[in-house]
Amino acid sequence: MIRVFFVDDQVMVRAGFVMVVEAQPDMTVVGEAGDGAEALRKLAVTTADVVLMDVRMPRVSGIEATRRLLAEPGHRPRVIVLTTFDLDEYAFAALRAGASGFLVKDAPPEDLLAAIRTVHHGDAVIAPSATRRLLDHVAADLPVPDEGPDPFAALTPREREILQQLALGRSNAEIATRLFVSEGTVKSHVRSILAKLCLRDRIQAVIFAYENRLVRPGT
């Protein structure tokens, strides 16, 4: 069973999510909270696999709650942030804090369920093109990296090339076509990139590439 925890300051939103999830044979709701502070208290004593986290809440925001939650040692759940708009600087901040993706609140129930299952299996829940649009939206505010060792030194030339393609919003299939390799080869390279850079998923890889200026907006 996938153990799901909901964090949202709107009671009716939580109630709707809970009803949808509890109807699934492979999921169960293990808790809810109305803000980030309450979520952190409850999650300290509740084991969850996936947390759906609203980003805009009173007291402790979803961004700060995500950062604190994923900084804790031991079991760390996957976090999906809930946003009102698909281009939201708050969503980007949550992704930088370690969230595995974002979901628009008015998404169909089947999208919500698919997102929960996807992150539970270790993948991200945001389309590559949406990642690119989101990053382009906020990239001007990214800090300029300090001078120092090449952050991509551990990558082979091919891995660096594939990371650039990821950051440009291309799917594995599109990358395979452009580089004249199989999709399986691309997936293998992506796994290697994540391992070498100590990143959780492809979203984190794209953010890393932007933050370290491997690509720039408008490329």
Side-chain angles (χ1 to χ4, degrees):
M1 297 289 283
I2 305 174
R3 297 163 293 190
V4 183
F5 192 102
F6 290 103
V7 189
D8 197 296
D9 59 345
Q10 298 180 53
V11 176
M12 292 302 293
V13 171
R14 295 203 312 269
F17 285 154
V18 168
M19 181 174 63
V20 170
V21 168
E22 286 288 7
Q24 305 307 304
D26 60 337
M27 299 182 189
T28 184
V29 176
V30 295
E32 333 174 15
D35 61 59
E38 183 184 4
L40 290 169
R41 286 199 310 273
K42 291 185 174 180
L43 285 166
V45 294
T46 303
T47 301
D49 298 310
V50 179
V51 176
L52 275 86
M53 180 87 72
D54 188 16
V55 291
R56 306 188 190 194
M57 297 182 291
R59 297 204 296 169
V60 176
S61 71
I63 299 167
E64 181 60 25
T66 297
R67 184 179 296 110
R68 293 188 201 175
L69 179 64
L70 298 181
E72 291 293 323
H75 175 77
R76 295 186 298 175
R78 293 278 178 166
V79 176
I80 303 171
V81 295
L82 303 173
T83 70
T84 304
F85 307 104
D86 67 346
L87 281 178
D88 189 333
E89 63 273 19
Y90 290 94
F92 175 72
L95 295 178
R96 292 181 72 190
S100 295
F102 73 85
L103 193 67
V104 180
K105 282 188 176 183
D106 62 359
E110 57 268 25
D111 288 357
L112 168 71
L113 299 172
I116 292 172
R117 293 184 177 105
T118 297
V119 300
H120 181 60
H121 289 122
D123 210 340
V125 291
I126 171 174
S129 59
T131 308
R132 168 76 184 281
R133 288 189 298 113
L134 183 63
L135 286 164
D136 280 350
H137 182 62
V138 299
D141 296 325
L142 290 175
V144 176
D146 297 330
E147 293 294 332
D150 179 6
F152 306 102
L155 304 183
T156 66
R158 175 61 91 183
E159 289 168 346
R160 185 184 291 245
E161 189 176 18
I162 287 176
L163 179 55
Q164 287 177 322
Q165 295 296 312
L166 285 179
L168 292 173
R170 297 193 174 109
S171 67
N172 288 347
E174 290 170 332
I175 296 171
T177 298
R178 294 180 70 88
L179 300 184
F180 304 102
V181 297
S182 70
E183 190 171 350
T185 297
V186 174
K187 290 179 180 178
S188 177
H189 280 305
V190 171
R191 286 194 296 269
S192 178
I193 292 167
L194 297 180
K196 288 181 177 180
L197 299 180
C198 299
L199 301 170
R200 284 162 48 112
D201 53 42
R202 63 190 295 140
I203 288 179
Q204 297 296 303
V206 172
I207 292 173
F208 187 84
Y210 265 74
E211 288 184 325
N212 291 283
R213 299 301 194 264
L214 183 65
V215 291
R216 293 176 181 272
T219 302

